[in-house]
């Protein structure tokens, strides 16, 4: 008996997660995809809905948010769809309606980033996307110190 599992992957691991969702969706109970858009040529519109969360940055130096070639140094790593086209495919697959977007509270306003959460409505399975926007070209790395994160208590 096959037991569905949850999959998480960043970059190449995210691409493998997307491939698994397309080729063996009955095995995936949910997935988180980080730092990668849908690879060009990986099509699976007839697959069943799967709960998905994407975490993508608008200023990623390797995986372009707007789509296109993925490069690392001089090596070609293939091409990806834009983040919007990627999410549109999964919104169709998950039978979602419109989406709404909110800005997440910015606990570190000087760090040069803003996070938005896009939530798709009326889906057969949940679909969400965190978009990490870079607000300026200069980031203050002192705000990445995990010890300075707000307490959840």
């Amino acid at each position: 008996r096959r037991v569905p599992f949850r999959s998480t992957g960043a970059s190449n691991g995210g691409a493998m997660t997307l491939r698994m969702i397309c080729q063996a969706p009955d095995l995936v109970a949910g997935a988180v995809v980080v730092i990668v858009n849908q690879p060009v040529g990986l099509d699976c519109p007839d697959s069943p809905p799967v709960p998905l969360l994407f975490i993508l940055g608008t200023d990623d130096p390797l995986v372009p948010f707007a789509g296109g070639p993925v490069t690392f140094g001089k090596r070609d790593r293939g091409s990806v769809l834009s983040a919007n086209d990627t999410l549109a495919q999964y919104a169709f697959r998950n039978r979602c309606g419109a989406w709404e977007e909110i800005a997440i509270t910015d606990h570190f306003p000087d760090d040069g980033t803003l996070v938005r959460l896009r939530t798709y409505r009326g889906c057969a399975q949940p679909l969400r996307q965190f978009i990490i926007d870079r607000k300026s070209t200069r980031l203050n790395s002192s705000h990445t110190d995990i010890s300075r994160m707000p307490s959840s208590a």
Side-chain angles (χ1 to χ4, degrees):
R1 177 176 175 255
R2 292 179 167 188
V3 177
F5 64 94
R6 288 169 181 81
S7 179
T8 300
S11 193
N12 280 341
M16 287 189 280
T17 295
L18 291 173
R19 184 173 182 161
M20 187 172 307
I21 290 168
C22 289
Q23 294 183 340
D26 57 317
L27 294 180
V28 183
V32 178
V33 177
V34 185
I35 320 172
V36 74
N37 303 337
Q38 179 88 356
V40 169
L42 181 62
D43 299 317
C44 54
D46 296 331
S47 299
V50 172
L52 280 168
L53 170 64
F54 284 83
I55 303 172
L56 304 170
T58 60
D59 198 32
D60 189 309
L62 301 177
V63 180
F65 190 81
V70 176
T71 57
F72 185 73
K74 294 184 180 195
R75 296 187 63 189
D76 177 9
R77 302 284 184 168
S79 293
V80 294
L81 301 177
S82 71
N84 288 338
D85 288 345
T86 296
L87 272 289
Q89 281 194 10
Y90 287 96
F92 176 78
R93 177 185 175 158
N94 282 9
R95 298 187 289 282
C96 300
W99 51 264
E100 62 184 36
E101 190 172 285
I102 61 167
I104 304 299
T105 301
D106 193 350
H107 293 284
F108 302 107
D110 297 330
D111 73 352
T113 60
L114 178 68
V115 178
R116 297 178 284 141
L117 172 61
R118 185 175 288 181
T119 302
Y120 290 76
R121 298 291 175 209
C123 302
Q125 292 290 342
L127 177 60
R128 293 184 177 86
Q129 176 189 26
F130 282 104
I131 302 166
I132 303 165
D133 282 315
R134 197 166 162 183
K135 295 187 294 190
S136 70
T137 57
R138 185 166 184 240
L139 294 178
N140 182 344
S141 62
S142 68
H143 291 288
T144 59
D145 180 355
I146 194 166
S147 67
R148 296 185 63 202
M149 297 296 287
S151 170
S152 60

